[in-house]
Structure formats: C-alpha cells, structure tokens
Amino acid sequence: MQDAGRKGYMAQGFPVCGAADADSLEIGNILVGNSPDAAALEITLGGFAAAVLSDTAVAVTGAYAPLFINGVLAEQYRTYYLKKRDYIYVGPAKAGCRVYLCVSGGISVEPFMGSRSTFLKIGMGGYKGRKLKPGDLIPMGDKPKMPKKRGIRSITPPELSDIAVLRATVGPQDNMFSPDEIDKFFSSEYTVTPSSDRMGIRLDGLALHSLNGTDIISDGIACGSVQIPSDGKPIILCADRQTTGGYAKPVTVISADMPKAGQLVPGNKVRFVRITQEEAYKAAIERSRYIKKLTKKLHRL
C-alpha cells in the first residue's frame, strides 16, 4: 500500500517511501477521480485478486499485466465502474515490475507520520505495516463525486522497454572521481541484479574507481542518488532509501525519470545520459504540466 510518500520526517530517520513509480500512481488516481497522491495498492510483479464489497471505480496502471474483471479481459489505464461483488484479477507482470490498483476514494487506512505508505522494514504504515495476504479486508475512503456521464476515461499506456535510459546530473560527490571515470559511467551499459528492491536498484557492469576511496561523512540522500560502495558497482537509491549514507554519490537520476527506474526488473539494461541541472528542472516542470493537463482532460469526461 503506497501513496505519495512520507514527507518531512527524514531528519528523524524515517524514509519517504511512497510509490516506486509515482507517474503510474498519479495517473491511476486521476482516472478514478482521486487526488494524485491518494493511497493505492502497489502490486510487485503482478498476481492479485480481490472482490469489491461496494460500488466503486477502479483503474490499473504501471507494469503490463493481464487484467480481468469478472473473468473478462480488460484494459489497463482505463476507468471501470464496478458493482458490489464484482471481482478483479491482475495476472503476472509481462513487462515492468509494479502494478498500481487505484480505487475511487483511495485506500483509507490510518496514516502513519502523515502517510498511508507501507514501510516494510520496520512494519509500520499501510495495512498493519505488512504486505497484504489472503482474506484481508481493505477499507476504501469516501468516494469522490464521480462524473454523471460515465464516458470512456482512458489514456494510451506508456511503452515499457527492457532497456531504460535514465537522465542524470553530475554530483554531489563527483569530485571524488576523475573526469574520465565519470565519462566511462555515462558511456557504459549496466544490468539490474536480483538483489534490487524498493530501497535500491543494484547494477552490474563497469565498476567505478574513485581517486581516494568512496567513504564520506554520512550526508542526506535524495531519491535517485547513485551511490558507489567499495566494490564500485552503482546503486540507484529509490523510494525506501536510507535517509543518510556514507558512500560517495557522483551522479543523481532526475526526479522525472525515477518512475521509469521504479519499473526495472532483474536483467533489464540501464544506460545513463548526462544532463544539466537546468535541463533537470525543465523536465520536472514538463512532467508537472503533463499531470495537470491530464487531470483537466479526464475530469471533463
């Protein structure tokens, strides 16, 4: 269970958490009339079934997985209006990592530190601080005012590829590596390893060699920081990342591309493209404008 994340508590040592693919969460919520940050179910690698116990609207986004409603094949990135006792099934993901099931009104569990996101490592937040299991009853929030005209509310799903190109800015500790070493990083291709999770995406490929080791005095970690531990193999730090860390971070994946990183699975390839901070700001603004434009468009239907 994830929402937009736990903001304002990193100083106390609590990770932000939230959806690994924020784009899919926001779009799914918009499709069912929620605010973009409402809580939804994050289904890793697919495989989920549930019955609805009251009338609601649902939308499934994120990784591509076969979707069935009452046994009939349905579409992702489209709003469906369900009646009491209807059931939904999400099959195993065929591309991407995380599927998002959004319901009108959102998931209504008690917030923990201002968020309904699950933090599995300490067993707090979300639904009893754990993953869902058979027999759980998931409370839905108050339904928003859905449009009387229930036209087709859908968008074209984004393409999912086995090769991810992630834009990144240099810093904050790029001075601990030679310019040639940074250039090698941006010209190399990496492979996502099976030891990846919501905390970090571990990559196999070219090891980066620092000038004098990669240890630093621990400092704060942003989502998208690429950390280089002692073995030189990069780790992209994600939603459940630690709040501080003591390894150098020579580059940072931009916020607009982290949703793409959230859909990586073991075996996927990753390449990095160097951009400036100004270009990163522009990408963030463009993403925000897209979400606002999509909200206006769908709310007219």
Side-chain angles (χ1 to χ4, degrees):
M1 193 171 297
Q2 300 293 340
D3 58 16
R6 186 167 289 106
K7 309 295 175 60
Y9 292 95
M10 290 185 71
Q12 285 76 44
F14 287 89
V16 175
C17 300
D21 177 355
D23 284 0
S24 293
L25 174 73
E26 291 189 17
I27 292 171
N29 275 323
I30 293 168
L31 282 166
V32 297
N34 295 341
S35 64
D37 60 353
L41 300 185
E42 182 180 85
I43 306 165
T44 303
L45 298 177
F48 177 84
V52 298
L53 303 183
S54 62
D55 294 357
T56 190
V58 302
V60 174
T61 60
Y64 170 68
L67 169 65
F68 294 86
I69 296 176
N70 296 329
V72 179
L73 186 65
E75 299 176 17
Q76 290 183 268
Y77 288 86
R78 176 171 174 170
T79 306
Y80 287 94
Y81 300 92
L82 305 187
K83 299 286 188 180
K84 183 178 180 179
R85 297 189 181 87
D86 284 346
Y87 61 93
I88 185 168
Y89 170 72
V90 178
K94 297 184 178 298
C97 183
R98 296 175 174 92
V99 178
Y100 292 86
L101 172 59
C102 300
V103 299
S104 58
I107 303 297
S108 181
V109 293
E110 190 68 26
F112 169 66
M113 291 185 136
S115 170
R116 293 182 169 89
S117 289
T118 309
F119 184 17
L120 290 175
K121 290 186 182 296
I122 65 169
M124 299 296 290
Y127 186 82
K128 301 181 180 179
R130 61 167 171 77
K131 298 178 182 179
L132 301 182
K133 61 184 181 180
D136 285 343
L137 295 176
I138 310 304
M140 295 186 294
D142 293 334
K143 297 175 188 176
K145 193 173 183 179
M146 297 300 293
K148 292 181 180 179
K149 182 181 178 181
R150 296 186 174 183
I152 296 177
R153 297 161 56 89
S154 66
I155 68 168
T156 302
E159 293 185 6
L160 294 172
S161 173
D162 291 340
I163 301 177
V165 178
L166 303 178
R167 293 168 290 179
T169 58
V170 175
Q173 283 100 27
D174 53 299
N175 62 323
M176 296 179 64
F177 301 80
S178 69
D180 285 345
E181 203 71 10
I182 298 296
D183 288 343
K184 288 179 183 178
F185 172 81
F186 280 107
S187 62
S188 299
E189 184 175 86
Y190 290 92
T191 303
V192 178
T193 72
S195 57
S196 301
D197 58 17
R198 281 177 46 87
M199 184 176 180
I201 300 169
R202 293 180 177 269
L203 303 176
D204 191 24
L206 176 73
L208 291 190
H209 300 289
S210 64
L211 297 173
N212 294 293
T214 60
D215 288 344
I216 62 171
I217 296 174
S218 293
D219 64 0
I221 295 179
C223 187
S225 292
V226 179
Q227 192 177 64
I228 308 298
S230 56
D231 65 1
K233 298 298 180 72
I235 304 171
I236 306 172
L237 298 174
C238 304
D240 287 356
R241 66 195 181 280
Q242 66 273 36
T243 57
T244 62
Y247 289 122
K249 303 172 289 295
V251 301
T252 304
V253 176
I254 66 172
S255 60
D257 282 3
M258 281 306 294
K260 191 187 301 184
Q263 290 296 349
L264 292 172
V265 296
N268 283 172
K269 305 297 182 180
V270 179
R271 297 187 66 89
F272 297 89
V273 174
R274 184 186 336 217
I275 66 171
T276 65
Q277 287 189 2
E278 289 72 19
E279 290 171 320
Y281 295 147
K282 183 178 179 181
I285 292 170
E286 288 175 349
R287 177 186 177 278
S288 178
R289 287 175 176 169
Y290 168 73
I291 293 296
K292 290 179 180 178
K293 182 178 179 180
L294 182 63
T295 301
K296 291 180 180 178
K297 175 184 175 182
L298 293 177
H299 283 187
R300 287 197 298 264
L301 298 177

